[in-house]
Amino acid sequence: MPPDPLFATDALTVRYGGVLANDRVTLTVDRGEIVGLIGPNGAGKTTLVDAVSGFAPATGAVTLAGRRLDGAGPHRRRAAGLARTWQAGELFTDLTVAQNLAAAIERPGGRTGGGDVCGRRRPDADGIQAALEMLGLGDAADRRPTELSLGQQKLVGVARALVGGTAMLLLDEPAAGLDTHESGQFGAELRRIAATGVGVLLIDHDMTLVLDVCDRVYVLDFGKVIASGPPAAIRDDPAVIAAYLGSAVAE
């Protein structure tokens, strides 16, 4: 009997008035697996991430490591090990890279408050450095985001989501704005993350990245999953070509 997946949604449904944004979406991500979620603009991809992370009301089940999270608030889902990035993932430019990561795991109302973020005491310094090292940013801890390339800034955003015991990572268009070389480097870093056992759900319009780095891919259209499978099958699926790709993607 196969083990239960690390992460799963079951019949996840989101409605905004009369609009059905997600229609009974069921998907899984295993430990150490990178799973893609693609589809045209307006297909419901970001809505799904919002629902999974607790920022949009939904029906259906959200499970992480055997624990039901639907009904829990965003902070409780984060504490359980579910983390996300945002399309507009701006960093605090007046803080160092390490302080940006510290801000993500500082507990609201904690005794140390802003002092930690401003450098007097850094919470979980070892975990912060480990996240940066994993993404090849170990030497950037004391630099400001404006001193880094766009590709490095994107990786800082991912590192910020990794700190704090993350088991499942939801990435919402993390490669937006990257050139081909930077996107390739970004994909290599995602593989390093997955190799540690973290599950990754990747949403992106960079089809070269998605088809190269993902183990499996789900395709959304009008809020429904219209196809799922390995990248090679998705690339040549007639329904996917018609709804999203427009033409078969070359090897």
Side-chain angles (χ1 to χ4, degrees):
M1 183 175 180
D4 291 335
L6 169 66
F7 170 79
T9 69
D10 183 18
L12 195 71
T13 300
V14 177
R15 292 181 181 273
Y16 294 117
V19 177
L20 189 59
N22 288 147
D23 186 2
R24 300 183 59 81
V25 176
T26 297
L27 56 80
T28 63
V29 181
D30 291 326
R31 291 167 178 81
E33 187 180 33
I34 303 176
V35 174
L37 181 63
I38 64 173
N41 289 329
K45 304 182 297 298
T46 294
T47 298
L48 181 73
V49 175
D50 289 343
V52 164
S53 53
F55 290 96
T59 59
V62 177
T63 307
L64 178 64
R67 177 183 175 186
R68 288 282 295 268
L69 296 181
D70 45 284
H75 65 291
R76 295 194 180 278
R77 301 187 195 206
R78 181 67 181 88
L82 181 69
R84 67 169 295 178
T85 62
W86 302 80
Q87 288 185 19
E90 290 90 351
L91 303 173
F92 299 111
T93 58
D94 56 338
L95 301 181
T96 67
V97 166
Q99 289 167 348
N100 267 274
L101 269 64
I105 56 176
E106 178 64 17
R107 293 182 180 178
R111 290 176 54 195
T112 53
D116 291 337
V117 175
C118 295
R120 292 197 295 274
R121 180 173 169 273
R122 183 182 300 165
D124 192 20
D126 291 342
I128 288 171
Q129 190 60 33
L132 293 174
E133 294 285 354
M134 183 187 299
L135 293 167
L137 296 169
D139 295 334
D142 295 322
R143 299 171 67 186
R144 301 295 175 99
T146 51
E147 301 174 44
L148 307 178
S149 68
L150 177 60
Q152 289 173 317
Q153 291 179 39
K154 295 282 188 178
L155 290 175
V156 172
V158 175
R160 186 169 58 181
L162 274 177
V163 294
T166 296
M168 179 65 203
L169 189 58
L170 311 171
L171 301 178
D172 194 1
E173 298 195 25
L178 301 185
D179 62 29
T180 301
H181 177 68
E182 290 173 325
S183 178
Q185 290 183 318
F186 187 83
E189 301 300 342
L190 291 185
R191 290 194 185 96
R192 291 179 61 184
I193 293 171
T196 68
V198 173
V200 179
L201 182 67
L202 172 65
I203 298 173
D204 214 280
H205 287 291
D206 183 340
M207 291 309 301
T208 299
L209 171 66
V210 170
L211 296 178
D212 181 55
V213 79
C214 290
D215 300 295
R216 293 183 295 116
V217 179
Y218 290 88
V219 185
L220 277 184
D221 192 27
F222 295 107
K224 282 188 173 184
V225 174
I226 62 168
S228 64
I234 293 300
R235 182 185 61 233
D236 298 326
D237 187 300
V240 178
I241 293 171
Y244 180 51
L245 299 180
S247 61
V249 178
E251 290 276 3

